[in-house]
Amino acid sequence: MKQFLAFVTKEFYHILRDRRTLFFMFGLPVVQILLFGFALSNEIKNASIAILDQSKDESTQALITRLDASRYFTIIKTLHHNNEIESVFRRGEVKLVVVFPANFRQELLHTNATQVQLVADATDTNTATTIANYAASIIRQYQDELLNEQKLPYTIRVENSMLYNPQLKSAYNFVPGVMAMILMLLSALMTSVAIVREKEMGTMEVLLVSPMQPLMVVFTKAIPYLVLSFVNVIIILILSVTLLEMPINGSLTLLLLECLLFIFTSLALGLLISSATHSQQVAMFISLVGLMLPTIIFSGFMFPIENMPKILQIISNAVPARWFYEIVKSIMIKGLGIDAIWRETLILLGMTVFFMGVATARFKVRLEG
Amino acid sequence: MKKSVIITDKLTKRFGAFTAVDAITFEVTQGEIFGFLGANGAGKTTAMRMLCGLLHPTNGRAEVAGFDVFRQREKIKQHIGYMSQRFSLYEDLTVRENIRLYGGIYGLKTNELKTKSDTLINRLGLNEEANKLVRSLPLGWRQKLAFSVAILHEPSIVFLDEPTGGVDPVTRRQFWDMIYETANAGITVFVTTHYMDEAEYCNRVSIMVDGRIEALDSPTGLKKTFSADSMDEVFIQLARKATRND
């Protein structure tokens, strides 16, 4: 126990005295969350739109007011004729034109079905889809309200409906992704570099000659990173909830436990890397290329996995971050419990046990001769 | 007759078809300064790693501090000290923190550790530097500190692996004074070196060539046997016979 304490204390000194490590530990998560949450957000605010209202009735007026009131849109023009549409797009004045057909309200009341046409400037496809979706969701809301007031089911036909994230807030996708990325970076990269540093400095030899169990030397080195990574999870969650207004709809305990599991997965990978390398550079390189890159590409938070070629979809199954991303999204956004994510949890658990096992076996051979 | 603290009998280590250490047999007695010489690749390091309990021998028999190198490696580790060429201190820890760390690893009691570190810091004249990072100390001081830390838990044997690499002659001389002091206190010193003048300071010297111990005697005895003027010549005569390259 005394051995253990002396050793862990030393490890904390290493971390606290190295500015680079400290920055990685605490600066990076904050920077990343802010960057992804605000700067790199693909959320659109105050997009210029135009309205072509050929009906000019109570309902269209209500919808126009709502669109204008939302923070996503600013109505800068009211059109009077179909042929004006093309010219406003040509001049790049607006990103979206909302077209209400003639007799909008009458059709709604008498046939119970009517249409709204959303014409978007699709030169920037992402923006076009996003703002069309915003508009569609505002119209849907109005329709729902009408339904509550009236007995008859009115329908206004809109194409898309966004579940769970009706405002398409991008932070909702980024936060779980950034969490996966940061935990991978801290737990795997930092641990592997720290262990390899001891090998490089020659201090590992001295530790191995000491009565400390060789495997204990390696695992105790991982403990401070476990603690600090967990502190980081809490920092990220606080930032996400307060600054990015991200909800935690599911159980917080479950969320923290799953994060802990993923930290263990990353630590196991870090140990595995350090058992295979002898220089800090190599360890860093393997961690970045072998772990960070797949995490960014295959977890699904940057590029949707459904859109990937089949072969890449299959590869993505081997990336732990992919499962963790699923888990965090399910808990935080969908508010689901363990009954919905036990499969993903089991996969992560299996991966952790596997990596830990291989790392231990490798260290046993290397350290105990 | 002093008791033997290291006894090896045909100790062998093979890596596949390669025999790194080939049936070495020798004894080292308590309080002796034993020089373990050999060219690079002669098998010194492998032999030393076996004696330290880091490596499992393939064949033969050996006891270190009364414990068997096959079955009691953990016991051996508690009774030996070790210092390498790289001094093995943590540069980003202070002098006192380094001492505390090694004391902790060897399981010294808190009070005992406190007294010992105070005595040690006093003896080395490091009072003003006690709370400074090791990084800021000159090489010579680091070396002395590393040595003192290696014998902090009062082992019966201390293994020094090329302890004076990269240090100037004056500091090396001072370091050997510390080694003598330690040996006089009854701690056996097992030292590898590339400096032949240092070999002269040892009570006895063994020279390894191609995994075997080719010569073992006091420096004076060796010079007589090989009719050489210095240990340098003895070493060169033997090393020339080596057939394997690094």
Side-chain angles (χ1 to χ4, degrees):
Chain A
M1 195 58 205
K2 199 177 220 82
Q3 258 186 357
F4 176 79
L5 280 181
F7 200 74
V8 171
T9 316
K10 151 206 172 265
E11 212 54 42
F12 272 107
Y13 283 140
H14 286 325
I15 295 170
L16 298 178
R17 283 181 191 166
D18 184 14
R19 276 203 208 114
R20 203 176 45 168
T21 312
L22 266 188
F23 170 75
F24 266 120
M25 277 284 169
F26 296 105
L28 211 63
V30 177
V31 170
Q32 293 225 332
I33 281 292
L34 295 183
L35 211 63
F36 280 111
F38 291 119
L40 293 184
S41 145
N42 49 24
E43 211 182 335
I44 290 138
K45 280 176 198 153
N46 294 323
S48 308
I49 62 167
I51 305 285
L52 173 55
D53 187 355
Q54 294 161 323
S55 179
K56 294 203 170 49
D57 57 43
E58 202 184 314
S59 293
T60 60
Q61 204 46 54
L63 274 169
I64 292 168
T65 318
R66 272 158 202 262
L67 287 170
D68 205 18
S70 97
R71 61 197 182 100
Y72 304 112
F73 302 114
T74 311
I75 299 174
I76 60 152
K77 221 170 181 136
T78 308
L79 309 181
H80 303 286
H81 201 274
N82 262 330
N83 57 21
E84 286 172 83
I85 296 175
E86 202 176 334
S87 61
V88 287
F89 278 128
R90 284 239 170 118
R91 288 197 296 274
E93 286 175 307
V94 297
K95 301 231 183 279
L96 179 83
V97 176
V98 182
V99 184
F100 295 102
N103 310 319
F104 181 82
R105 186 172 173 82
Q106 261 159 352
E107 275 187 35
L108 187 63
L109 294 179
H110 296 124
T111 69
N112 298 337
T114 187
Q115 288 182 7
V116 179
Q117 193 183 9
L118 300 174
V119 188
D121 175 1
T123 44
D124 177 352
T125 35
N126 282 338
T127 313
T129 332
T130 312
I131 58 178
N133 282 328
Y134 286 162
S137 89
I138 290 174
I139 294 165
R140 252 179 65 98
Q141 246 174 21
Y142 174 69
Q143 176 198 326
D144 288 348
E145 281 168 34
L146 277 186
L147 275 175
N148 291 339
E149 286 168 16
Q150 312 280 332
K151 288 192 185 77
L152 288 167
Y154 299 119
T155 45
I156 306 172
R157 221 183 78 208
V158 280
E159 296 297 303
N160 296 306
S161 60
M162 295 288 115
L163 272 178
Y164 307 120
N165 185 7
Q167 292 96 26
L168 279 176
K169 273 202 158 184
S170 53
Y172 287 11
N173 284 321
F174 280 130
V175 168
V178 169
M179 251 160 83
M181 219 164 81
I182 290 174
L183 292 182
M184 212 21 119
L185 190 73
L186 291 184
S187 315
L189 191 146
M190 304 299 271
T191 314
S192 63
V193 168
I195 293 176
V196 174
R197 187 184 298 144
E198 297 249 5
K199 288 195 201 173
E200 256 187 23
M201 303 292 287
T203 41
M204 189 58 110
E205 263 183 328
V206 180
L207 295 176
L208 294 179
V209 178
S210 81
M212 259 182 108
Q213 289 288 333
L215 279 178
M216 186 167 145
V217 171
V218 174
F219 287 108
T220 338
K221 276 198 81 76
I223 286 179
Y225 294 95
L226 173 72
V227 175
L228 292 175
S229 295
F230 198 70
V231 171
N232 251 301
V233 166
I234 292 166
I235 294 179
I236 294 174
L237 288 180
I238 291 175
L239 280 179
S240 317
V241 170
T242 54
L243 283 179
L244 305 177
E245 290 159 4
M246 172 110 187
I248 300 178
N249 291 325
S251 148
L252 181 63
T253 319
L254 180 61
L255 179 63
L256 291 178
L257 283 176
E258 295 281 359
C259 288
L260 204 59
L261 173 60
F262 187 66
I263 293 173
F264 272 111
T265 319
S266 313
L267 287 177
L269 281 167
L271 292 176
L272 192 59
I273 291 173
S274 55
S275 75
T277 53
H278 285 281
S279 95
Q280 292 183 60
Q281 265 86 11
V282 176
M284 205 174 287
F285 184 78
I286 298 181
S287 308
L288 286 176
V289 177
L291 299 181
M292 283 299 287
L293 224 53
T295 300
I296 294 173
I297 296 173
F298 291 116
S299 63
F301 89 103
M302 284 271 197
F303 316 103
I305 294 171
E306 309 83 85
N307 298 351
M308 289 181 184
K310 198 84 201 146
I311 178 81
L312 293 185
Q313 289 192 27
I314 293 169
I315 292 176
S316 78
N317 287 327
V319 178
R322 184 214 155 139
W323 305 106
F324 178 67
Y325 179 68
E326 247 353 280
I327 290 172
V328 174
K329 271 208 323 195
S330 301
I331 300 176
M332 286 185 81
I333 303 170
K334 299 185 192 171
L336 301 177
I338 186 73
D339 48 320
I341 50 166
W342 62 270
R343 205 171 61 102
E344 285 83 355
T345 310
L346 266 187
I347 293 174
L348 265 191
L349 199 64
M351 285 179 165
T352 312
V353 170
F354 174 74
F355 294 138
M356 211 58 115
V358 177
T360 310
R362 291 193 59 110
F363 272 120
K364 256 195 141 57
V365 173
R366 271 183 180 278
L367 303 181
E368 294 180 1
Chain B
M1 183 65 193
K2 283 195 167 173
K3 65 168 186 175
S4 296
V5 288
I6 301 177
I7 305 165
T8 73
D9 182 18
K10 300 200 180 69
L11 189 67
T12 303
K13 178 70 189 179
R14 274 190 287 274
F15 296 106
F18 176 72
T19 309
V21 173
D22 192 359
I24 56 173
T25 303
F26 64 93
E27 289 189 15
V28 182
T29 54
Q30 196 198 349
E32 188 175 14
I33 302 175
F34 189 82
F36 201 59
L37 274 56
N40 289 332
K44 277 181 309 190
T45 311
T46 310
M48 193 147 126
R49 287 173 67 85
M50 284 193 284
L51 295 178
C52 291
L54 287 179
L55 207 59
H56 221 80
T58 316
N59 259 318
R61 210 179 58 82
E63 265 182 24
V64 175
F67 301 105
D68 186 277
V69 292
F70 284 90
R71 291 180 319 253
Q72 298 172 298
R73 285 153 71 177
E74 298 314 311
K75 280 264 174 21
I76 290 178
K77 287 178 177 181
Q78 275 164 25
H79 290 87
I80 61 170
Y82 175 85
M83 172 191 166
S84 80
Q85 189 178 10
R86 290 187 277 187
F87 306 159
S88 352
L89 295 168
Y90 289 95
E91 296 192 344
D92 54 348
L93 299 190
T94 65
V95 172
R96 203 177 276 282
E97 284 161 358
N98 264 293
I99 300 174
R100 206 181 299 146
L101 169 65
Y102 284 106
I105 287 178
Y106 281 92
L108 297 189
K109 295 202 174 57
T110 317
N111 303 337
E112 196 186 355
L113 184 54
K114 178 89 186 65
T115 345
K116 281 199 170 201
S117 29
D118 287 341
T119 324
L120 178 66
I121 288 167
N122 262 322
R123 192 156 49 83
L124 293 177
L126 285 174
N127 289 306
E128 282 179 29
E129 282 78 15
N131 294 318
K132 283 191 188 152
L133 297 188
V134 165
R135 186 183 291 141
S136 67
L137 295 186
L139 209 56
W141 284 13
R142 270 193 243 177
Q143 182 196 33
K144 285 179 202 162
L145 180 62
F147 182 65
S148 310
V149 166
I151 56 172
L152 191 70
H153 59 291
E154 294 166 19
S156 26
I157 306 155
V158 60
F159 289 88
L160 307 175
D161 191 4
E162 294 176 26
T164 52
V167 176
D168 66 80
V170 179
T171 318
R172 260 169 60 197
R173 183 63 244 192
Q174 289 173 349
F175 185 66
W176 274 89
D177 289 339
M178 283 184 83
I179 291 183
Y180 276 114
E181 230 174 89
T182 310
N184 284 336
I187 297 180
T188 307
V189 180
F190 187 97
V191 57
T192 73
T193 180
H194 279 305
Y195 297 107
M196 288 308 134
D197 57 328
E198 289 187 353
E200 310 257 7
Y201 304 149
C202 299
N203 299 127
R204 280 192 309 150
V205 169
S206 80
I207 300 181
M208 271 185 95
V209 179
D210 289 352
R212 284 184 298 274
I213 291 185
E214 288 291 331
L216 199 170
D217 204 345
S218 65
T220 327
L222 282 175
K223 281 186 277 190
K224 215 156 111 194
T225 317
F226 290 85
S227 38
D229 294 331
S230 64
M231 279 302 294
D232 223 13
E233 268 179 55
V234 175
F235 187 78
I236 289 168
Q237 277 188 40
L238 282 167
R240 207 178 280 144
K241 293 200 283 185
T243 50
R244 78 186 186 207
N245 292 315
D246 211 353

